[in-house]
Amino acid sequence: MPAIVIVGAQWGDEGKGKATDLLGPHADYVVKYNGGNNAGHTVVIDGETYALHLLPSGILTPGVIPVIGNGVVIDLDVLFHEIDNLNARGIDTSRLLISANAHIIASYNRTIDKVTERFLGKRQIGTTGRGIGPTYADKMTRVGIRIQDLFDPSILRQKVEGALAQKNHLLVKVYNRRAIDPAAVVAELEAHAERVAPMVADTSLLLNQALDAGKTILLEGGQATMLDVDHGTYPFVTSSSACAGGAATGAGIGPGRIGRVVAVAKAYTTRVGAGPFPTELHDDEGERLRAAGHEFGTTTGRPRRCGWFDVPVVRYAARINGVTDIALTKLDVLTGREKVPVCVAYDVGGHRHDELPVSQSDIHHAVPIYENLDGWDADITGARTTADLPKAARHYVETLEEMVGTRISIVGVGPARDAVIQRHPILS
Ligand code: IMP
């Protein structure tokens, strides 16, 4: 089996961690290819909840080699904090590999993330404040600091001084903040060099060799399609390529090596941060989804905005990512309703749009056109085959499958690791 990508189909938090965890035991490597500690995977194993932000969720699967690819941005404090926490709970993290080319989130980029957001006022993105955007901006303007720079003191100093030469002007003159001392930043970064050194590798070479040897690689996307810097609801997006295309770049493998693309979609929709969200509910139903689905951010604790399933959004995700299989998560959260509305198209100024409008203004003004599907009352958390589901729940899944036009291979019916129905094998 070649490489398999797991990508979010909506605005993140779809339960990718669970899908990765499910496929993980069949994989030899699990690679995080984009984003940083803005992500939040919650995985429940034997009643224990693990919230991961930076580490790939494959870290929890014995025998799997977890890899942080070159497309990721790394906050070293967070890295070691997560490693220490897992070690304290008896999880072995010694197999972790980190790309020498991954960029580092320096402390000044966290500062800049926060001050820029404040400066944007009403136009705020609602970032996680973890320094993600400014670090990717540095990468693109070629003033970033990479993991490999930690091992060359003179280069590290030059690069930090170079980056701060501009930023200090900005901080002092525009944002009215104190200048940052390059020597202090260098000292902060150097303090981590020795500990990170044994984890650092040419991960692109290793992954390609592994594929040549017939190994299975899972490429785990952070954030999601609608937060992708190119294909999401720009500018209300993250700063990396979260889509399947970004998996090849962010891991250092050729696109032709990707055999399957699994999109994870919630049975309803959520979003954190600002930006358009056509099916958002501002009423009791939204509250009910939030409470039943525990929709609070893993990274920031912010309440997530909640709404009904949006077919054009997931169909768009299927197209942009070349999705072969969908993992539909949290179906159990919809239990207990007479009807479950599903958005099938939008009305924009009196015109029907069956597909996601290309114009951002149209997405802002899109009014969902709903089809009301039958709901179900019975508890479905114990269902392990399609036949265990009430007829209406089965019909809900089949209708989404037909409308999106991509097979739904996995259905999540509860938070536990085994609370899934496998409708089609992904790995064979
Ligand atoms: P940033 O990634 O911190 O720059 O934030 C940009 C946007 O992406 C904000 O709306 C965040 O709330 C959102 N975001 C970033 N990471 C995640 C995630 O893992 N799940 C959901 N939303 C996210």
Side-chain angles (χ1 to χ4, degrees):
M1 175 56 82
I4 301 160
V5 178
I6 298 188
V7 64
Q10 297 149 327
W11 280 277
D13 311 308
E14 295 92 348
K16 291 184 292 286
K18 188 170 178 185
T20 314
D21 182 51
L22 196 79
L23 297 170
H26 306 282
D28 302 291
Y29 293 79
V30 175
V31 187
K32 180 178 167 93
Y33 62 78
N34 75 303
N37 57 308
N38 47 346
H41 291 317
T42 310
V43 183
V44 183
I45 302 175
D46 300 331
E48 289 270 312
T49 303
Y50 298 91
L52 302 172
H53 301 286
L54 175 59
L55 293 171
S57 56
I59 197 109
L60 301 171
T61 311
V64 166
I65 301 181
V67 179
I68 296 183
N70 55 277
V72 174
V73 290
I74 302 174
D75 184 323
L76 291 163
D77 287 320
V78 172
L79 175 77
F80 293 125
H81 183 69
E82 283 198 6
I83 289 177
D84 290 342
N85 272 344
L86 289 181
N87 292 162
R89 293 172 76 180
I91 307 272
D92 173 23
T93 56
S94 61
R95 302 174 315 281
L96 178 67
L97 296 175
I98 298 176
S99 167
N101 288 345
H103 281 244
I104 296 174
I105 303 178
S107 53
Y108 48 78
N109 279 335
R110 282 196 300 272
T111 309
I112 289 173
D113 195 357
K114 288 178 190 141
V115 290
T116 338
E117 275 286 272
R118 235 171 280 150
F119 210 72
L120 279 172
K122 275 206 316 226
R123 289 178 298 121
Q124 271 189 11
I125 309 293
T127 73
T128 58
R130 304 294 194 258
I132 307 294
T135 305
Y136 279 112
D138 280 1
K139 173 176 174 172
M140 291 307 175
T141 51
R142 294 158 295 186
V143 293
I145 315 289
R146 295 192 292 175
I147 288 286
Q148 57 180 282
D149 300 329
L150 292 173
F151 312 114
D152 187 329
S154 143
I155 285 283
L156 180 66
R157 195 174 22 87
Q158 280 176 42
K159 289 197 171 179
V160 171
E161 281 170 0
L164 279 174
Q166 289 175 353
K167 290 183 206 303
N168 273 337
H169 284 297
L170 191 73
L171 282 169
V172 174
K173 293 180 186 150
V174 179
Y175 297 127
N176 206 15
R177 305 276 295 209
R178 247 183 250 132
I180 293 170
D181 175 14
V185 176
V186 170
E188 252 168 50
L189 294 174
E190 274 180 343
H192 292 301
E194 202 185 337
R195 188 168 177 200
V196 83
M199 305 170 195
V200 180
D202 182 347
T203 51
S204 162
L205 177 66
L206 292 177
L207 292 172
N208 278 280
Q209 285 171 337
L211 287 169
D212 290 342
K215 306 272 190 209
T216 299
I217 293 181
L218 279 191
L219 300 152
E220 177 184 59
Q223 293 75 53
T225 306
M226 300 308 287
L227 290 171
D228 181 281
V229 69
D230 281 86
H231 301 292
T233 45
Y234 190 90
F236 302 100
V237 292
T238 191
S239 298
S240 67
S241 297
C243 284
T249 312
I253 62 166
R257 306 205 83 155
I258 297 170
R260 301 210 76 77
V261 179
V262 180
V264 185
K266 242 178 232 180
Y268 47 101
T269 314
T270 63
R271 159 163 217 173
V272 281
F277 175 3
T279 63
E280 181 172 15
L281 293 164
H282 299 281
D283 57 8
D284 290 351
E285 272 295 359
E287 280 299 331
R288 211 178 141 195
L289 284 174
R290 188 174 305 119
H294 309 290
E295 298 296 353
F296 296 90
T298 320
T299 297
T300 59
R302 288 183 287 183
R304 295 181 185 139
R305 299 158 65 191
C306 297
W308 301 121
F309 191 88
D310 188 327
V311 172
V313 160
V314 179
R315 195 162 52 226
Y316 173 77
R319 164 158 58 92
I320 292 290
N321 294 294
V323 171
T324 57
D325 301 83
I326 290 176
L328 188 74
T329 57
K330 294 188 137 182
L331 184 64
D332 54 301
V333 172
L334 295 177
T335 299
R337 286 177 175 79
E338 202 175 313
K339 292 283 178 190
V340 187
V342 168
C343 168
V344 295
Y346 314 103
D347 181 303
V348 184
H351 297 283
R352 183 184 166 108
H353 287 247
D354 289 303
E355 302 297 339
L356 192 71
V358 69
S359 145
Q360 181 76 6
S361 307
D362 286 350
I363 301 180
H364 275 277
H365 295 114
V367 178
I369 298 172
Y370 287 112
E371 210 168 278
N372 289 312
L373 303 184
D374 286 339
W376 58 93
D377 272 329
D379 177 9
I380 60 167
T381 53
R384 294 296 176 266
T385 67
T386 308
D388 296 337
L389 288 176
K391 194 167 154 234
R394 222 162 41 228
H395 181 248
Y396 186 78
V397 174
E398 286 161 2
T399 307
L400 297 192
E401 181 171 76
E402 202 184 302
M403 288 176 171
V404 172
T406 305
R407 70 180 195 176
I408 295 178
S409 300
I410 297 173
V411 181
V413 291
R417 195 180 207 183
D418 65 341
V420 283
I421 296 170
Q422 299 237 25
R423 297 175 81 231
H424 304 286
I426 290 177
L427 290 162
S428 63

